[in-house]
Amino acid sequence: MAKAKIIGLGSYYPKKVLTNKDFEKMLETSDEWIRTRTGVEERRIAAEGECASDMGAIAANEALKDANLNGSNIDFILVATSTPDYIFPSTACLIQEKIKANNSAALDVQAACSGFIYAITLAKSLVETKAYKNILVVASEKLSSIVDYEDRNTAVLFGDAATACVVSLDGKGLEIKTTFLAASGKEADLLILPAGGSKYPASLKTVNERKHYIQMNGKEVYKHAVRRMKEAIEKCLEDANLTEKDISWLIPHQANERIIDAIAKRFKHLENDKIFKEVVHKFGNTSASSVGLALDILKKQNRIKPKEKILLTVFGAGFTWGACILENN
Ligand code: UT7
């Protein structure tokens, strides 16, 4: 059976850079603490009025160009985001209009930081069953709109960015060999944006209690992230009938360099120079956009050789987690 491929990739990040030194002026923190505890050096912040659909549409147009397609060739748009422009309409509909993909269906996927691999998995199924032909997967996050810049525990971690890819059976690209997805709602409270939904609709009280911002139990999330991404890597390798020796590049969710290092330590054959970390250093945690942005940067640097296999793994609120193996064909 023909396998789905990523035939075009693109990304976008805003111009404005927020450095650790900038945070020293805003909060009781230090460049040294942020670097040593997280690996983050700087992050990007969207301009006033720039929203998820704007950033996603720019990344989408770049991915379309890379695939030699235009909006009218797309028949499904999947957008992974935790920072949609609105609760409804979906950000996918807004991006559809911006890129003139008038022949497509459009749907948002909410799997927090795991959204890119969740959406890729859906796209793979939809093209391999021949229900749809060319699917545009976009991840776009304006986390600066939901970060509490008075909370040093979370403020320094996150940044804004978008990424996109075209998934199709036709053309050359990165074959999506195997994907693995999982979730556990038991830990929902450990990483949450409590207000603004149907449980706590926006009110003066929810605003005063700062409930429209990300709340995270960092220590607990950290432990689950390491454990679950390790499991996802193992499961995905097993499903693909491969071993860690077959993997040329590991791209873990770029939330914290220490989490990435802790995962790497658990695999003997994944060498350090094959583990991609540049996104966490330069962009911080960009949630759903994180691994797609990393993949796009790696590809633009011409570092992926023919036939090499890349393993992406993700973890986020929900909890949700997953992995996928791509092969450069
Ligand atoms: O994308 C979804 C996945 N998200 C993640 O994977 C994030 C997972 N969690 C983490 O990355 C880490 O837990 C954090 C980076 C959030 C925190 O690192 P930690 O090593 O777990 O630190 P901690 O929470 O145990 O805090 C240690 C100390 C505390 O002070 P006390 O209570 O020991 O006096 C914090 O108040 O560091 C303090 N602290 C800070 N100090 C300076 C927390 N944030 C900061 C800060 N600057 N920005």
Side-chain angles (χ1 to χ4, degrees):
M1 191 181 77
K3 290 253 185 184
K5 277 162 271 164
I6 293 176
I7 61 162
L9 266 168
S11 50
Y12 169 80
Y13 37 86
K15 280 195 191 66
K16 184 176 169 189
V17 176
L18 195 61
T19 65
N20 294 346
K21 289 275 175 208
D22 294 328
F23 272 111
E24 288 181 353
K25 292 174 214 144
M26 295 156 61
L27 288 167
E28 211 184 302
T29 189
S30 66
D31 176 44
E32 208 260 331
W33 191 96
I34 302 169
R35 274 175 200 265
T36 53
R37 305 309 291 163
T38 73
V40 182
E41 296 160 13
E42 57 188 45
R43 66 291 288 144
R44 299 299 175 114
I45 303 295
E48 181 111 27
E50 188 176 37
C51 52
S53 70
D54 297 325
M55 297 193 292
I58 299 172
N61 277 325
E62 195 180 279
L64 286 169
K65 198 169 162 209
D66 193 38
N68 270 321
L69 297 175
N70 58 51
S72 65
N73 301 120
I74 296 297
D75 49 10
F76 212 120
I77 301 176
L78 291 166
V79 176
T81 184
S82 296
T83 49
D85 292 18
Y86 311 110
I87 288 184
F88 67 87
S90 70
T91 301
C93 281
L94 304 174
I95 291 177
Q96 183 217 35
E97 173 57 16
K98 286 183 176 156
I99 63 165
K100 300 289 171 228
N102 303 327
N103 307 316
S104 75
L107 175 72
D108 280 7
V109 176
Q110 217 300 26
C113 298
S114 308
F116 188 71
I117 290 184
Y118 264 73
I120 292 274
T121 304
L122 294 176
K124 174 177 164 65
S125 313
L126 290 170
V127 301
E128 288 182 358
T129 54
K130 306 219 162 103
Y132 292 87
K133 207 165 168 319
N134 296 315
I135 302 197
L136 177 69
V137 171
V138 181
S140 187
E141 299 283 20
K142 185 181 176 181
L143 295 167
S144 59
S145 68
I146 57 167
V147 162
D148 184 350
Y149 285 102
E150 292 181 14
D151 175 13
R152 71 174 182 172
N153 291 295
T154 52
V156 300
L157 305 174
F158 298 98
D160 301 335
T163 186
C165 65
V166 179
V167 176
S168 179
L169 292 184
D170 303 327
K172 265 176 78 76
L174 302 167
E175 182 182 303
I176 306 167
K177 289 186 83 67
T178 308
T179 72
F180 165 76
L181 302 178
S184 170
K186 250 195 297 238
E187 293 92 6
D189 288 345
L190 295 178
L191 178 49
I192 190 167
L193 192 156
S198 61
K199 182 151 182 173
Y200 301 112
S203 69
L204 209 51
K205 185 166 180 284
T206 61
V207 172
N208 288 336
E209 289 173 351
R210 308 185 80 74
K211 286 200 165 129
H212 297 269
Y213 294 123
I214 298 172
Q215 294 181 359
M216 176 169 74
N217 179 332
K219 263 204 181 340
E220 281 304 310
V221 173
Y222 186 107
K223 283 190 272 183
H224 284 271
V226 174
R227 190 177 119 215
R228 294 309 198 179
M229 283 194 272
K230 173 191 173 268
E231 282 171 10
I233 293 170
E234 288 169 346
K235 187 76 178 62
C236 209
L237 285 171
E238 189 188 316
D239 290 351
N241 212 4
L242 295 170
T243 73
E244 55 183 281
K245 286 186 183 159
D246 298 310
I247 300 302
S248 299
W249 294 100
L250 177 69
I251 304 182
H253 176 48
Q254 310 274 300
N256 184 326
E257 185 171 10
R258 284 161 53 222
I259 294 177
I260 298 174
D261 291 342
I263 295 167
K265 249 203 312 205
R266 286 157 173 80
F267 294 91
K268 276 204 302 284
H269 301 288
L270 292 172
E271 288 155 32
N272 216 18
D273 60 344
K274 295 288 179 180
I275 299 167
F276 197 81
K277 300 183 195 173
E278 284 166 41
V279 166
V280 73
H281 298 155
K282 295 295 169 199
F283 300 91
N285 183 349
T286 56
S287 189
S289 304
S290 167
V291 290
L293 176 60
L295 181 66
D296 188 38
I297 291 173
L298 190 62
K299 184 165 167 263
K300 282 177 177 147
Q301 292 171 343
N302 285 323
R303 286 159 76 189
I304 312 171
K305 302 281 171 287
K307 295 285 161 207
E308 281 193 339
K309 294 184 186 67
I310 308 152
L311 201 158
L312 279 64
T313 182
V314 287
F315 178 84
F319 288 143
T320 53
W321 63 98
C324 85
I325 296 171
L326 308 173
E327 183 174 309
N328 189 20
N329 280 329

